[in-house]
Amino acid sequence: MTATPHTESAVLVLEDGTRYVGRAYGAVGTTLGEVVFATGMTGYQETLTDPSYAGQIVLQTAPHIGNTGMNTEDRESRRIWVSGYVVRDPSRVVSNWRSEETLDVALDTDGVVGISGIDTRAVTRRIRSVGSMRGGIFSGDAASIDAEEQVRIVREAPEMTGLNLSAEVSVSAAEVTEATGERIGALAVLDLGVKQATIVNLAARGFDVHVLPQSATIDDIRAIDPVAVFYSNGPGDPAASDDHVELLRAVLDDRLPFFGICFGNQLLGRALGLGTYKLPFGHRGINQPVLDKTTGRVEITAHNHGFAVDAPLDGDFESPHGYGRVEVSHVGLNDQVVEGLRALDIPAFSVQYHPEAAAGPHDANYLFDRFRDMVIAANTKDNN
C-alpha cells in the first residue's frame, strides 16, 4: 500500500505570527485550533481517534508517521477528532498486514486538514518556550492568503481556556457494553470523550458499562441502579463544565463509588472544592513518569491534558465542599503536577492520566482493579 503525496503548498501559522511552510497532508483547506505536541513514538491512530484532542491541532514529535497505516479495529472512537495534524515525514509506504487504508486517506475522509514537511522540532521548541498557542493550517488555495490576514484569522479563533467541548464528542444516546468478567453490576459512565479501550477494561472487570450522554442527569444515573459512576477523559476547560461538577456532587452525596480519569480527575477536583489551571504546554504522550504515593512506585504513563488540579502535594486536607479528607495520590515527576486524587472518607478517586494506555505502557492498568475492589468493598459494606 502506497501513500499518494500532496503537491499543494501549506503553511502552519501561530498566533504570534510565526510561520512554517510545508506541503498539504490529508484534507486540503483551512483549519484552526490550539497547537499542541504529542511525544509518543507510536500509537498515532489512537491519538487521532482520542476525543480529548477535539479542538486541537496536534503535532507529532516523532519524525516518521504513517508507517503502519490505519485500521478500524484500533480506533478509539467513531472518527478522527483532531482539528489539524502536523507531521514531518509522512511514510510513503504502509507496511503492516492489518492496515486497511493509508493515514493520508483516513485524514482526507474525515476532513482533517494537515501539513507535512516542516521542522516539527522547531515548532515544538517554540511551544515549549512560549506555551500552547492558537494556530491555523492553510493549504491549497488558502495557503496563498495574505500572511497578515492568516494571522488575523488565527487570532479570532476561540481559545481553549473557557471552552466546553463535551457536547461535541459525547454520545447522543445511552450505549451498553455487557460485562466480560465476573459480573459486579451496572456502571454509569459519563461520556465526556471516552475511549473504547476504557470501556473494554471496565467490562473486563465485571461492569455492565452504560455509556451515558454528557447531558445525563442524576435521575438518569439513578435509573440504571448503578454500583458506581465513572467520568471519562475529554476535551475542553474543566472550569467551563459547571453542570458536570454539580452532577458529580450529587453522585458523591449519594455515596456512589466514583472513579475519574483525565478530565474526570479535574472535575472531581472541582466537585471537592479545588481549583484548576491551564498548563503552559500540557502533557501529551506515552512516556510520562508518575509517582504513586500509595506504593512508592514510579509508573510510565500515557497523558493527554492541558489543565491540572490545584491541590497541596503533601499530607491530607479537608475538602472545601465538605466531603472529608482528601490527598494527592499521584504526582508527575517532570513538573510536580497533581496526577491523582483520593478521597479518604468517601469511595472516590481519580487520576490525571490514561490507565487504559491506548497507545502506551500498561504500568497503570492496575487502577481498574483498584476501582473494582473499591466498588466491591463499598457494596459489601452497604449490604452488611
Side-chain angles (χ1 to χ4, degrees):
M1 189 180 296
T2 303
T4 303
H6 274 291
T7 57
E8 295 98 330
S9 296
V11 59
L12 170 66
V13 179
L14 302 182
E15 67 177 278
D16 66 354
T18 308
R19 299 168 58 83
Y20 304 88
V21 178
R23 299 181 303 277
Y25 187 56
V28 175
T30 299
T31 191
L32 304 170
E34 181 184 46
V35 181
V36 300
F37 60 87
T39 59
M41 294 184 70
T42 186
Y44 61 80
Q45 174 162 319
E46 290 87 345
T47 294
L48 288 166
T49 55
D50 179 352
S52 297
Y53 281 112
Q56 296 178 323
I57 295 174
V58 176
L59 177 150
Q60 298 279 181
T61 59
H64 206 207
I65 299 295
N67 309 53
T68 55
M70 297 281 280
N71 66 74
T72 54
E73 185 178 349
D74 291 341
R75 282 179 173 253
E76 285 300 318
S77 65
R78 59 189 178 275
R79 52 163 287 190
I80 295 174
W81 288 102
V82 302
S83 292
Y85 202 45
V86 183
V87 301
R88 178 174 175 175
D89 296 319
S91 179
R92 291 171 293 177
V93 177
V94 174
S95 303
N96 191 281
W97 64 274
R98 298 176 64 240
S99 177
E100 298 168 4
E101 61 182 346
T102 62
L103 174 55
D104 59 320
V105 168
L107 292 168
D108 191 27
T109 299
D110 282 2
V112 178
V113 176
I115 184 171
S116 67
I118 68 172
D119 186 348
T120 51
R121 187 175 182 181
V123 184
T124 301
R125 288 172 63 89
R126 185 69 179 167
I127 294 172
R128 279 187 59 90
S129 61
V130 178
S132 296
M133 289 179 279
R134 289 167 295 179
I137 300 174
F138 302 85
S139 63
D141 293 340
S144 60
I145 296 174
D146 180 75
E148 291 186 3
E149 175 66 9
Q150 289 173 339
V151 174
R152 185 193 65 79
I153 292 172
V154 168
R155 289 175 179 171
E156 288 184 350
E159 295 186 272
M160 189 60 68
T161 300
L163 202 58
N164 186 320
L165 296 169
S166 300
E168 294 186 18
V169 299
S170 180
V171 294
S172 57
E175 300 177 358
V176 181
T177 298
E178 294 184 355
T180 56
E182 184 176 351
R183 187 178 184 276
I184 297 172
L187 173 66
V189 172
L190 192 70
D191 179 14
L192 304 170
V194 71
K195 294 169 66 178
Q196 183 60 32
T198 299
I199 297 172
V200 170
N201 271 282
L202 292 168
R205 268 62 178 194
F207 296 108
D208 290 330
V209 183
H210 293 248
V211 178
L212 304 180
Q214 61 86 32
S215 58
T217 65
I218 188 61
D219 289 335
D220 294 328
I221 289 177
R222 289 168 180 161
I224 68 172
D225 191 23
V227 294
V229 175
F230 178 91
Y231 270 26
S232 78
N233 58 291
D237 183 350
S241 290
D242 290 345
D243 290 346
H244 301 139
V245 173
E246 290 306 309
L247 175 61
L248 181 48
R249 292 189 66 186
V251 168
L252 300 180
D253 290 341
D254 281 358
R255 290 302 189 264
L256 283 167
F258 173 81
F259 179 26
I261 66 169
C262 203
F263 200 56
N265 175 70
Q266 297 158 11
L267 296 181
L268 176 61
R270 288 199 59 206
L272 294 172
L274 304 171
T276 57
Y277 64 98
K278 195 173 191 301
L279 296 167
F281 47 82
H283 302 165
R284 297 174 182 88
I286 57 178
N287 54 358
Q288 302 279 336
V290 167
L291 172 66
D292 181 346
K293 293 172 62 179
T294 302
T295 64
R297 293 184 59 191
V298 174
E299 305 158 6
I300 304 302
T301 58
H303 288 227
N304 176 13
H305 66 106
F307 293 85
V309 175
D310 187 8
L313 299 183
D314 298 319
D316 58 54
F317 54 91
E318 287 293 322
S319 160
H321 282 173
Y323 292 106
R325 297 166 300 143
V326 182
E327 69 176 3
V328 171
S329 59
H330 296 75
V331 178
L333 296 181
N334 285 335
D335 51 10
Q336 299 298 295
V337 165
V338 172
E339 294 292 347
L341 297 169
R342 184 164 73 102
L344 302 178
D345 297 317
I346 59 173
F349 75 98
S350 58
V351 292
Q352 185 58 67
Y353 48 95
H354 288 251
E356 85 288 343
H362 297 164
D363 296 24
N365 197 261
Y366 70 90
L367 289 165
F368 291 108
D369 296 324
R370 185 178 289 183
F371 178 47
R372 176 199 60 204
D373 294 345
M374 182 182 73
V375 172
I376 293 172
N379 283 274
T380 300
K381 180 179 178 181
D382 290 343
N383 293 330
N384 290 335

